[in-house]
Amino acid sequence: QQQQQQQQQQQQMARQSPQQPVRQPPAQAGIQGHGAKLPCPTNGWQYVDPKWQIQGPFTLLEMQSWNDMGYFRQDLLMRCDPSDRFVPFAELFPHPLIPFQSYPKRPTGNSPGRSYDARLQGLR
């Protein structure tokens, strides 16, 4: 009878044990899906001041705070990574993106803004 009870307990435990988790297909490295919710970069933010001096790098929290205070004009040149070129604030966060909350629209090789880089060449 004791063996019978042990067998019943084992069967009951087997029924209660969690199932194998469902495995998701692996994400493809380096491919960002349309509308992917990427976090805004947390550091490395730079801007060009009115005297054409590069300021920064600054943290995301600093940039959020200054933006909330209204310090950034739409034409202020900035970037979130030193490998990017500077682009106007309005191009980095076009509508409906929320500045410093949405992932910025980082410049590509064909987007406008190349003329700004010529002026900044000596500042890098």
Side-chain angles (χ1 to χ4, degrees):
Q1 187 171 9
Q2 198 172 22
Q3 270 185 332
Q4 212 174 15
Q5 284 178 342
Q6 283 179 342
Q7 283 179 341
Q8 285 176 348
Q9 283 178 344
Q10 286 175 351
Q11 288 173 353
Q12 197 172 18
M13 286 177 69
R15 277 188 239 121
Q16 292 176 353
S17 68
Q19 294 180 350
Q20 286 280 22
V22 177
R23 294 188 180 193
Q24 299 293 327
Q28 294 181 4
I31 297 176
Q32 297 175 7
H34 177 70
K37 300 264 185 191
L38 297 171
C40 203
T42 57
N43 51 41
W45 289 91
Q46 296 177 302
Y47 68 89
V48 180
D49 71 16
K51 294 182 180 180
W52 289 95
Q53 298 295 311
I54 296 174
Q55 302 295 328
F58 299 107
T59 67
L60 177 61
L61 290 175
E62 289 172 305
M63 299 298 277
Q64 285 172 333
S65 176
W66 293 331
N67 184 60
D68 290 346
M69 291 185 235
Y71 289 172
F72 299 138
R73 296 182 329 269
Q74 294 297 300
D75 62 343
L76 182 70
L77 299 177
M78 64 174 58
R79 64 184 178 186
C80 62
D81 187 279
S83 65
D84 291 348
R85 69 176 187 278
F86 288 92
V87 295
F89 176 66
E91 286 182 29
L92 206 53
F93 294 105
H95 181 77
L97 298 183
I98 301 167
F100 308 108
Q101 291 180 33
S102 303
Y103 190 78
K105 184 177 180 186
R106 293 173 65 180
T108 60
N110 296 329
S111 65
R114 281 236 183 261
S115 60
Y116 299 116
D117 272 5
R119 293 188 208 176
L120 296 170
Q121 203 62 34
L123 301 177
R124 288 182 187 230

